[in-house]
Amino acid sequence: MLRRRGLLLVPLAGLLALLGAALGVEEFVLLAVAAISLLAVAALTLCWQVHQARGAVHLDVDRASGELFVGDDSTVTLVGTNRSRHTVPGLWVAGGERWTVSHPGLTGAGPLAAPGGSGAFEAAPDWRRRLRHRLGSRIEGGAWHPVPGLVPAESWRLSVPVATGSRGLWSLGPVELWCTDPLGLTAWRVATAPLRRVVVFPVPMALDPA
């Protein structure tokens, strides 16, 4: 899967090749060949890294309390663990900020609210999500957290605020672990954390005895 810079490199190489052929400039053609060669090397390197990472690194979510009230401060923890005997480099986590809310009797996701109700979590339009998926840049849609090279038996943790801006059943994810080549041109998903849900209740109010 190509990242944004990889997607830009392909038309750039094609443009250089066309200009070189049309103008008779050999240097443009050589630059186009170099760009495609760079992309090929990045893809081969990624294949080797994915082979190391797949099945070696486990991604999980340590859930906080499953029942919260509107406005509560709470976090969940993303945990990546290296279960292999070698260091796994080039790992990134995507989706840790993706909270969606659903209500009984309704389908789909309603308006999203950030932890504490600040409104920072916005649902991307459907056409944007489909376009990112088809172009191979789906991982660019939100925050992307680098994971340091995990040595054997080492764990990595990232705390994520729970969205409690409004009541409902909140779901985190999908949270995915991606592997990228050293140049950041290509990426491939190697693990997905299990879905985690939190129920947010309205704040209880005291009844007037009168």
Side-chain angles (χ1 to χ4, degrees), residues 105-186:
L106 299 178
T107 59
L112 303 189
S118 64
F121 290 86
E122 298 291 340
D126 290 340
W127 68 268
R128 288 177 55 189
R129 288 198 295 267
R130 291 197 301 267
L131 182 62
R132 286 200 298 266
H133 180 77
R134 291 176 182 177
L135 292 180
S137 57
R138 179 161 54 101
I139 54 178
E140 310 289 354
W144 222 31
H145 303 282
V147 179
L150 293 177
V151 300
E154 183 182 20
S155 295
W156 168 86
R157 294 175 178 270
L158 175 68
S159 294
V160 177
V162 177
T164 58
S166 63
R167 66 180 182 178
L169 175 64
W170 287 88
S171 302
L172 173 65
V175 181
E176 301 166 334
L177 185 68
W178 292 78
C179 188
T180 66
D181 64 89
L183 300 177
L185 300 177
T186 58

